[in-house]
Amino acid sequence: MRRRLAAGNWKMNGTSASLSEVDALLDAHPAPGVEMVLCPPATLIAALAARRGRHPLGVGGQDCHPEPSGAHTGDIAAEMLRDAGAGFVIVGHSERRADHGEDDALVAAKARAAHRAGMVAIVCLGETLEEREEGRTLEVVGRQLDASVPDGATGGNTVIAYEPVWAIGTGRVPTTDQIAEVHGFLRDRLSARIGAQGAFVRLLYGGSVKGSNAAEIFAVPDVDGALVGGASLKAADFSPIVAALEEAAAREAP
Ligand code: 13P
């Protein structure tokens, strides 16, 4: 009932030369058994959208402004991302929360902008190491979920990515029990927040996902896929993650 999703976040990496990696990825998965999305820097969205041809690869932005247009130098509206070929946009990534002081209310406004533009918002949340060590993980992600997921969120327009800040780019990954605890909690909280649609929203895990740990993570209940940073930059690294997700999906199919 929830199509599994492998999403790559290239962050501030990649130039037109990197598009050869996309070709290699599409060649490796000509008819993927899961949904595949790449979120390159905004400068590459249009080129990537053109490059995929008839392949079902989804393309996403990494941020958007809440307003559809206006005097906001350097910002990009959701409608512009959509116009360039994006169907998804990441909002509330911890790097933006930290680097740009984005709070939950702003993240919700950005998610609403994505919905207004007809795109899927990938809303990110996750605790810091300090918050985890203080035993506040569920309190923090619960607050982030309540305040960052806008009214009107559905399984069709919203994806949630649980990305513990301490696992991003560090090679440190929570135990499967820790992931299961948070994802189960988020599933329940989501249903309390948006009702029956909560069962249809995909919950991704993100933070140091690699080919070597993907299968174990994808076997955790309520993990519907991954948001992958570093290992999404090269087809040779991302492809085994996609393959592990395809295997998990095939195992679950009736
Ligand atoms: P890494 O996969 O590089 O740890 O990054 C995760 C992430 O932040 C994806 O948005």
Side-chain angles (χ1 to χ4, degrees):
M1 95 178 161
R2 295 186 299 267
R3 186 141 195 258
R4 293 196 178 227
L5 169 60
N9 172 11
W10 281 11
K11 308 191 179 184
M12 199 173 73
N13 297 290
T15 60
S16 46
S18 319
L19 295 173
S20 61
E21 292 297 330
V22 179
D23 297 339
L25 182 69
L26 301 189
D27 284 350
H29 303 274
V34 297
E35 191 164 11
M36 239 165 59
V37 174
L38 285 180
C39 303
T43 47
L44 290 178
I45 288 174
L48 206 157
R51 193 90 161 207
R52 71 187 153 173
R54 303 173 82 84
H55 192 283
L57 174 74
V59 181
Q62 299 176 9
D63 176 48
C64 66
H65 193 278
E67 300 296 327
S69 63
H72 302 289
T73 302
D75 279 318
I76 302 176
E79 283 77 0
M80 295 168 177
L81 297 173
R82 173 86 181 172
D83 180 57
F88 296 77
V89 58
I90 297 168
V91 296
H93 193 282
S94 62
E95 288 151 14
R96 292 208 59 90
R97 290 179 186 258
D99 295 356
H100 300 270
E102 296 192 4
D103 62 11
D104 291 327
L106 181 59
V107 174
K110 291 181 173 201
R112 272 194 297 276
H115 296 165
R116 182 189 66 221
M119 291 194 294
V120 176
I122 303 176
V123 181
C124 300
L125 42 80
E127 82 286 3
T128 63
L129 187 57
E130 190 183 2
E131 289 163 342
R132 176 161 285 274
E133 286 173 345
E134 289 169 0
R136 296 174 49 221
T137 297
L138 299 184
E139 172 205 323
V140 169
V141 299
R143 187 209 72 222
Q144 290 175 325
L145 184 135
D146 288 349
S148 311
V149 173
D151 292 342
T154 66
N157 66 20
T158 302
V159 171
I160 308 285
Y162 168 54
E163 301 203 312
V165 176
W166 51 275
I168 295 176
T170 60
R172 284 187 69 182
V173 181
T175 64
T176 51
D177 283 350
Q178 287 174 323
I179 297 175
E181 180 190 32
V182 175
H183 278 237
F185 172 83
L186 291 174
R187 176 69 62 207
D188 291 346
R189 189 83 165 216
L190 204 45
S191 299
R193 172 78 186 85
I194 61 171
Q197 278 296 318
F200 298 100
V201 171
R202 289 170 292 181
L203 298 180
L204 309 184
Y205 168 77
S208 297
V209 177
K210 299 191 269 293
S212 56
N213 59 21
E216 186 185 18
I217 292 168
F218 295 151
V220 174
D222 271 308
V223 172
D224 301 310
L227 182 56
V228 183
S232 71
L233 295 171
K234 298 273 177 231
D237 296 329
F238 196 44
S239 181
I241 297 172
V242 173
L245 192 59
E246 287 175 325
E247 280 168 32
R251 262 199 306 280
E252 202 174 63

